[in-house]
Every structure is written in structure tokens, then in C-alpha cells.
Amino acid sequence: MSFAADLLDIAIIVAFVAVVIGQILAMVRLVIGPETGDRILALDTMVVNAIGLIVLLGISQGTGIYFEVSLIIAMLGFVSTVAYTRFVLRGDIIE
């Protein structure tokens, strides 16, 4: 293998580790968050980290299907965050 391929493999491993650490820290904030807003932000951060993990998996395997999956999860994560926030603030989702 060439130097560039080895460097890419190392960079992907480092990125995986960094995103997993971020996911664990967001999970800790979800569990010990003092207020509901902190927990909502932790859930949103976990969705973003999950998208990052899926994209890194797609890069490491060299396939494009994971990018489409990450777009779907991003849309679902945004809508669920907005819906949960509206529920907490107003008590209902649909007005």
C-alpha cells in the first residue's frame, strides 16, 4: 500500500475514536443532564454523532449507500428534535 492509503486508514481510525468519544460524552450528558433542555441537546448531539459514524463507515468501506442513509437519519433527527422541543415547551406538537 502507498503512504496516502496508510495515512487515510489512520485518519479514519482517529476519526472513529473521536466520534465515539463524543457519542459517549453526549450519552453521559443525556443521563445526568440537570434540565430537560440539556437532555434534548444531548439527543440531538447523539444523532449528529451517529450520522458521523455512518459517514465514516461509508468512507472506510468505500460504498455510497451509507451516505443516503445518513441523509435520511439527518432528516428524521431534525424533525424529532423539533417535535420533542415543541412538546416540552407547549405540551402539544400539533396546534
Side-chain angles (χ1 to χ4, degrees), residues 2-54:
S2 67
F3 176 71
D6 291 337
L7 190 61
L8 179 66
D9 290 338
I10 292 171
I12 289 174
I13 291 171
V14 169
F16 265 119
V17 170
V19 174
V20 166
I21 290 172
Q23 186 80 341
I24 291 170
L25 290 174
M27 197 175 305
V28 168
R29 175 52 60 191
L30 179 68
V31 172
I32 65 170
E35 295 183 11
T36 308
D38 295 328
R39 290 188 171 101
I40 293 172
L41 287 175
L43 279 173
D44 192 41
T45 304
M46 289 177 69
V47 169
V48 171
N49 287 337
I51 293 167
L53 286 172
I54 292 169

Side-chain angles (χ1 to χ4, degrees), residues 51 54-55 57-59 61-71:
I51 293 167
I54 292 169
V55 168
L57 186 64
I59 292 171
Q61 291 186 356
T63 182
I65 191 71
Y66 292 107
F67 302 112
E68 296 172 9
V69 170
S70 66
L71 286 173

